[in-house]
Amino acid sequence: MLSRVNDDDPLSIGQFARLVRLSVKQLRHYADLGLLPPAWVDPDTGYRYYRAHQARDAMSIGLLRSLDVPLTAIKDVLSGQDPARALGDVRDRLDEELARRRRSLAALERILARGLPTAEVTLWREEPQRAAVVRDVADSPQDIGRVTSAGMRRLLELAGPPGEGVRLIGLFPADLGEYVPITLAATLPDGRPAPPGTTLDLLPGGTFARAVHTGPYDQISLTAHALLAWCVERGHTPTGPIREVYIDDPATTAPDDLVTHLLIPLEETS
């Protein structure tokens, strides 16, 4: 004969934990956060008791935690907030993490196929260049790709597509901190003003170490690694941000065929 739990019967924290497949420690933690308080606490002993009707919320917490949903979002769901609203940001975060993992996997596959990154590096002379510039800040190194893509779309809308004498360039700090300043530039022919919404700037010239990356943009860091290693091995001191000069149009070029020139400015020697 099946036994039945009556909602009028208080359940000890141990009994309730077994019913809802949570640990006593978890139940205490959720109670302390106000997420799932016990139905009654014995004032003399401090023992905590629950009711059967609390099982659904308890098991919902367990389900959502297994999906990496933070407790703050779970609290919103249990309080009656629309799940689509409460969990939308969580879904987006997981989606971004999945995309980052896929990029990492693709880079690892490249290393497995070709070995640790190497690059043919040459010394290159660049003249100062007038440019229309937009700036932004990535919240972390993992956020660089998203911010760069959004900024480049904005730059293209403001400055128009590249044409005769116009190049698209990204500038990124060699040392990546918690926040990453990003500058995106479209070079301008002499006399052409910077379009509204951009800033007119002068990209410094000088001597650069240059390497050519062929492949997806999200694997440029492999070539940048080889370029920086080359500089260190030869005693060259980088004096500014790494430049990425985008040669091809990604709208018409396959990711594996995209060509990007990477340049690191070097300290001038007398």
Side-chain angles (χ1 to χ4, degrees):
M1 183 176 179
L2 294 175
S3 61
R4 188 163 175 236
V5 176
N6 191 322
D7 193 47
D8 292 334
D9 298 330
L11 299 167
S12 71
I13 191 170
Q15 291 174 307
F16 189 70
R18 288 190 294 273
L19 282 173
V20 299
R21 299 181 180 182
L22 294 173
S23 69
V24 170
K25 182 178 180 180
Q26 287 174 311
L27 287 175
R28 290 184 181 276
H29 181 54
Y30 299 153
D32 293 342
L33 294 176
L35 192 60
L36 186 68
W40 178 64
V41 178
D42 189 315
D44 297 323
T45 64
Y47 291 166
R48 306 179 186 206
Y49 294 90
Y50 292 80
R51 300 288 187 184
H53 74 268
Q54 294 178 281
R56 183 175 294 276
D57 281 354
M59 298 186 77
S60 295
I61 293 171
L63 171 64
L64 293 173
R65 286 300 293 143
S66 73
L67 300 175
D68 290 332
V69 177
L71 292 173
T72 51
I74 294 175
K75 190 171 186 178
D76 290 339
V77 172
L78 295 183
S79 67
Q81 189 175 126
D82 179 9
R85 180 179 177 185
L87 301 178
D89 289 344
V90 179
R91 177 204 55 207
D92 293 344
R93 176 180 58 79
L94 291 175
D95 193 48
E96 290 171 4
E97 176 64 17
L98 180 60
R100 187 185 71 80
R101 291 287 185 179
R102 285 174 174 158
R103 292 192 296 269
S104 297
L105 179 60
L108 183 59
E109 293 286 359
R110 182 171 174 135
I111 291 173
L112 288 171
R114 307 182 187 183
L116 290 172
T118 60
E120 182 178 342
V121 181
T122 59
L123 294 180
W124 185 263
R125 188 75 188 176
E126 282 276 307
E127 297 302 319
Q129 300 172 82
R130 299 172 68 253
V133 166
V134 296
R135 293 182 172 87
D136 207 338
V137 177
D139 292 336
S140 67
Q142 292 73 32
D143 198 35
I144 291 175
R146 181 191 64 80
V147 173
T148 300
S149 297
M152 193 59 72
R153 287 194 297 269
R154 177 179 165 221
L155 183 63
L156 288 170
E157 290 172 359
L158 296 171
E164 190 70 27
V166 176
R167 296 190 300 174
L168 298 178
I169 300 173
L171 296 98
F172 308 89
D175 297 324
L176 299 181
E178 182 179 357
Y179 298 101
V180 184
I182 294 172
T183 298
L184 302 173
T187 58
L188 298 172
D190 289 342
R192 179 179 169 183
T198 69
T199 302
L200 180 63
D201 206 345
L202 186 69
L203 302 183
T207 301
F208 294 76
R210 188 186 78 152
V212 177
H213 173 81
T214 302
Y217 291 145
D218 56 24
Q219 294 182 12
I220 285 177
S221 60
L222 298 178
T223 302
H225 169 89
L227 182 58
L228 285 166
W230 183 94
C231 292
V232 173
E233 289 170 349
R234 287 157 180 77
H236 290 295
T237 303
T239 60
I242 299 175
R243 295 189 189 184
E244 297 179 0
V245 183
Y246 308 108
I247 304 302
D248 299 307
D249 182 353
T252 58
T253 306
D256 287 342
D257 297 327
L258 291 169
V259 174
T260 307
H261 293 175
L262 272 66
L263 298 94
I264 295 180
L266 302 178
E267 192 174 63
E268 298 280 1
T269 57
S270 55

